[in-house]
């Protein structure tokens, strides 16, 4: 297992969107198969008759609430970036964990990171999201329920690494680290090109992208009009089919543009510097 610590941020929405691979939505419910664990105090905030499934926006707002409840809470360095995000990835050849195994892993990592302290009532809010194969993400707000600021341990990476090794042994997983150079590190923030490429990819997605939805509606309308009697309906259906084709072409162009954005740039050699073969006369 490889633990990684992301740069702290101000809003949980961005971290949760990165984990899900799409923007948070008020219409997308995250079940217990996605949010596999959370801070124990959440049980006191949820009534028995309350809805069991929260949307991704509701989870983000739940993590953001301490900001609103304690507007002056900050670190000793006057830092208000309270959103802590860490992820742990399995070995590529490892088996897929079950829901309870992911939940146990999340709680153990939360305790190793110091964001969950057994017996402490006013602890941090955190959730564990299992949205990508072989990976679990923990997102926490470092502002305690009583307004105190939680300072992660200075050796948090070492603690996470040590706990990951113990989890590997307990769950009979494949150890990933085989040398001193394979150590956890702070994950660099995604580049602007990568962020823009992600947006374009979401727009062009054939399953849940907005352009796919629009194209599907246009095609459906065209098929219905084609069954209507009269030349006017046939002509309109044909025009709609052409519109649907153009929309599909736009999706393909967006996909191609997204791929170009994330491709590494290769430096080109000026023509004068290129080596050319000379033929003898």
């Amino acid at each position: 297992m490889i633990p990684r610590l992301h740069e702290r941020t101000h809003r949980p929405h961005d971290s949760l969107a990165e984990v899900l691979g799409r923007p948070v939505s008020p219409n997308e419910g995250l079940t217990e198969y996605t949010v596999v664990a959370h801070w124990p105090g959440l049980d006191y905030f949820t009534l028995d008759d309350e809805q069991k499934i929260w949307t991704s926006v509701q989870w983000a707002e739940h993590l953001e609430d301490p900001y609103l409840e304690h507007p002056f809470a900050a670190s000793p360095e006057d830092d208000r970036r309270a959103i802590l995000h860490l992820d742990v990835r399995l070995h590529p050849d490892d088996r897929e964990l079950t829901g309870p195994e992911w939940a146990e892993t999340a709680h153990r990592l939360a305790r190793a990171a110091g964001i969950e302290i057994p017996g402490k009532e006013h602890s941090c809010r955190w959730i564990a999201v299992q949205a990508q194969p072989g990976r679990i993400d923990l997102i926490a707000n470092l502002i305690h329920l009583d307004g105190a600021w939680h300072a992660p341990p200075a050796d948090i990476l070492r603690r996470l690494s040590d706990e990951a090794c113990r989890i590997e042994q307990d769950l009979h997983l494949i150890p990933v680290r085989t040398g001193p150079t394979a150590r956890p590190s702070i994950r660099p923030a995604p580049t602007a090109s990568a962020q823009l490429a992600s947006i374009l990819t979401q727009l062009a997605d054939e399953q849940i992208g907005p352009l796919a939805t629009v194209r599907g509606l246009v095609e459906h309308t065209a098929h219905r009009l084609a069954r209507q009697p009269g030349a006017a309906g046939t002509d309109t259906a044909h025009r709609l089919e052409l519109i649907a084709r153009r929309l599909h072409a736009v999706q393909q162009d967006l996909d191609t543009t997204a791929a170009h954005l994330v491709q590494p740039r290769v430096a080109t050699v000026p023509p004068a510097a290129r080596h050319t073969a000379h033929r003898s006369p």
Side-chain angles (χ1 to χ4, degrees):
M1 304 180 77
I2 302 179
R4 296 194 297 180
L5 188 64
H6 300 236
E7 294 284 353
R8 285 190 287 114
T9 60
H10 291 92
R11 299 183 74 244
H13 300 67
D14 299 330
S15 297
L16 187 53
E18 190 273 330
V19 173
L20 296 174
R22 53 191 177 274
V24 295
S25 167
N27 302 316
E28 179 188 17
L30 300 182
T31 69
E32 68 273 15
Y33 299 103
T34 301
V35 180
V36 296
H38 51 71
W39 63 294
L42 179 61
D43 295 334
Y44 296 100
F45 284 74
T46 325
L47 300 177
D48 292 336
D49 58 349
E50 191 175 348
Q51 63 187 60
K52 299 298 182 181
I53 298 178
W54 286 7
T55 67
S56 53
V57 165
Q58 287 175 314
W59 280 114
E61 291 175 345
H62 174 71
L63 292 174
E64 192 178 36
D65 280 346
Y67 272 121
L68 307 177
E69 296 169 359
H70 306 286
F72 302 106
S75 72
E77 294 78 24
D78 200 27
D79 185 356
R80 286 275 290 171
R81 294 176 301 159
I83 302 304
L84 177 76
H85 177 195
L86 64 93
D87 72 74
V88 174
R89 298 168 189 252
L90 302 181
H91 189 282
D93 298 326
D94 229 326
R95 65 180 177 86
E96 183 62 32
L97 301 187
T98 65
E101 287 174 328
W102 279 126
E104 178 189 351
T105 298
H107 281 284
R108 292 177 62 169
L109 293 172
R111 289 193 291 269
I115 58 177
E116 178 176 306
I117 303 174
K120 184 176 178 61
E121 296 181 359
H122 302 291
S123 57
C124 300
R125 295 188 182 193
W126 65 269
I127 62 173
V129 182
Q130 207 283 300
Q132 301 183 35
R135 167 176 166 175
I136 191 168
D137 291 76
L138 270 67
I139 307 174
N141 192 315
L142 296 180
I143 301 175
H144 285 193
L145 299 185
D146 58 4
W149 181 274
H150 173 76
D155 59 345
I156 181 174
L157 287 174
R158 182 188 62 78
R159 295 188 183 200
L160 290 171
S161 180
D162 291 346
E163 186 61 29
C165 289
R166 288 188 286 267
I167 294 173
E168 286 172 350
Q169 295 174 357
D170 294 343
L171 299 182
H172 307 291
L173 301 176
I174 301 173
V176 177
R177 294 172 302 282
T178 56
T181 58
R183 63 184 61 177
S185 60
I186 295 180
R187 184 180 183 183
T191 63
S193 295
Q195 293 176 336
L196 293 174
S198 175
I199 294 173
L200 296 182
T201 301
Q202 293 166 21
L203 289 174
D205 192 285
E206 281 286 353
Q207 301 298 322
I208 60 173
L211 289 180
T213 302
V214 173
R215 182 161 62 90
L217 292 172
V218 171
E219 291 174 344
H220 177 72
T221 304
H223 293 159
R224 292 191 62 180
L225 284 172
R227 294 195 295 267
Q228 299 296 321
T234 302
D235 291 342
T236 304
H238 180 64
R239 285 199 297 272
L240 289 176
E241 288 174 354
L242 293 178
I243 293 172
R245 291 177 188 176
R246 290 200 296 271
L247 285 170
H248 187 250
V250 170
Q251 287 177 276
Q252 293 177 321
D253 288 343
L254 288 173
D255 255 335
T256 302
T257 303
H260 284 315
L261 281 173
V262 297
Q263 283 179 351
R265 295 183 180 180
V266 179
T268 57
V269 180
R274 291 176 183 160
H275 176 75
T276 56
H278 297 279
R279 297 180 181 177
S280 57

